[in-house]
Amino acid sequence: MVDSLANTEINSQRIAAVESCFGASGQPLALPGRVLLGEGVLTKECRKKAKPRIFFLFNDILVYGSVVLPKRKYRSQHVIPLEEVTLEPLPETPRAKNRWMIKTARKSFVVSAASATERQEWISHIEECVRRQLRATGRPPSTEHAAPWIPDKATDICMRCTQTRFSALTRRHHCRKCGFVVCAECSRERFLLPRLSPKPLRVCSLCYRELAACKRREEEEEEEEPGVGSPGQPSYLSGAGTGASSGDEEDSDEDKEGSGDSNWPSGVEFYASGVSWSAFHS
């Protein structure tokens, strides 16, 4: 399928249409040999609630964004290299169906499809593209993945101390290491997580102790080697503090990315029965 579509006019037109919908806010997507294989609307579980997102599967990347006007305008473009992707199907429950997790080293999140058939189509097509991309690049499958954020609505109390109850005045925070919903007191520490950010990020008290202990062991081993190690503040604490987080605004990333959701047309029932929400090209 990839070889037959590469360098064809119809493929170029499809990619150009996607670029046009994202406009100047999106990055260019047309590259020699890149093929748009499928597209569709999936439900992405965000921090505050599940929201519709438009997804585009290319032979080497997965692109998604917020829907402002269906097939006309998208925003908040995210581009994920497929060699970094691992998929994890999730079990069915009466209130959560057709779900799977998209895992990468920088971000992991849960999506769901309109039907079991569409879920299987997405998973099989993505996994085939990942296999092809790994063969082409010679890279091994990714083994390190970021923890998905647990949605705010999953708990009314801090998942670490289990004492603090969240309210309009007591806000929720997320540990960047484990993804737990925690209170401010249980997430006062910051730790440098290079895979996620060049700046120290908010982590819960338990993850901080584990990360700090691991880092100390690594630095002690390095100091035993001649010429290795230098005095000063530990690198994992660089820029860290125990007061208000300079990264507090990062807690609202998921909300910012969904700022165009209110324009989803009211006359269109989301996942209406009998409607196919995904299309794969051949």
Side-chain angles (χ1 to χ4, degrees):
M1 180 169 61
V2 174
D3 296 335
S4 62
L5 287 173
N7 304 315
T8 63
E9 183 64 25
I10 185 63
N11 179 63
S12 298
Q13 292 174 356
R14 289 168 177 162
I15 296 177
V18 176
E19 290 179 327
S20 175
C21 287
F22 278 108
S25 64
Q27 69 182 62
L29 298 173
L31 285 178
R34 177 170 288 169
V35 176
L36 176 58
L37 298 174
E39 57 194 83
V41 175
L42 300 173
T43 300
K44 179 175 178 290
E45 294 187 7
C46 300
R47 176 186 171 184
K48 293 191 178 297
K49 64 179 182 179
K51 300 175 181 178
R53 295 286 181 263
I54 184 71
F55 279 78
F56 298 94
L57 175 62
F58 295 80
N59 58 322
D60 61 335
I61 57 174
L62 182 66
V63 177
Y64 72 93
S66 303
V67 180
V68 180
L69 293 172
K71 299 185 179 298
R72 294 180 57 188
K73 185 174 178 59
Y74 310 131
R75 63 185 303 170
S76 302
Q77 184 193 77
H78 297 259
V79 179
I80 305 174
L82 284 179
E83 62 265 25
E84 299 177 6
V85 169
T86 301
L87 302 186
E88 179 184 341
L90 299 177
E92 299 284 285
T93 70
R95 300 183 62 182
K97 297 180 180 294
N98 310 318
R99 301 160 70 237
W100 72 98
M101 188 183 301
I102 298 175
K103 303 191 293 186
T104 75
R106 289 184 57 84
K107 185 174 185 178
S108 299
F109 54 92
V110 174
V111 295
S112 59
S115 66
T117 299
E118 289 192 19
R119 181 183 86 146
Q120 188 53 46
E121 285 184 331
W122 274 102
I123 290 176
S124 61
H125 281 93
I126 293 175
E127 288 182 337
E128 175 60 24
C129 288
V130 170
R131 284 192 292 268
R132 292 175 62 104
Q133 191 65 10
L134 290 175
R135 285 198 301 267
T137 60
R139 291 180 52 174
S142 178
T143 57
E144 292 190 52
H145 307 112
W149 281 19
I150 294 176
D152 284 3
K153 64 182 180 181
T155 180
D156 292 327
I157 61 174
C158 173
M159 299 178 72
R160 282 301 176 212
C161 69
T162 69
Q163 299 298 316
T164 302
R165 183 166 294 276
F166 300 120
S167 66
L169 298 179
T170 305
R171 65 172 296 192
R172 293 167 169 84
H173 299 280
H174 279 82
C175 171
R176 300 312 193 272
K177 176 65 172 138
C178 67
F180 274 29
V181 183
V182 292
C183 65
E185 187 63 29
C186 288
S187 59
R188 295 174 65 84
E189 306 290 358
R190 306 292 177 270
F191 200 93
L192 186 62
L193 302 172
R195 290 186 293 110
L196 303 183
S197 172
K199 300 186 298 181
L201 300 175
R202 178 188 295 272
V203 293
C204 70
S205 52
L206 177 61
C207 286
Y208 178 81
R209 290 194 296 270
E210 294 176 347
L211 289 165
C214 181
K215 190 66 176 181
R216 281 195 297 270
R217 288 194 296 269
E218 292 176 355
E219 292 183 347
E220 287 170 0
E221 292 173 358
E222 290 177 354
E223 288 174 359
E224 293 176 359
E225 300 177 15
V228 177
S230 58
Q233 186 185 38
S235 60
Y236 61 86
L237 291 177
S238 176
T242 56
S245 170
S246 62
D248 278 355
E249 67 276 3
E250 294 174 9
D251 279 343
S252 61
D253 284 352
E254 291 289 354
D255 302 321
K256 291 176 182 175
E257 104 177 19
S259 57
D261 293 335
S262 60
N263 291 320
W264 185 269
S266 58
V268 177
E269 181 185 353
F270 191 53
Y271 286 165
S273 60
V275 175
S276 177
W277 285 86
S278 301
F280 295 93
H281 308 310
S282 60

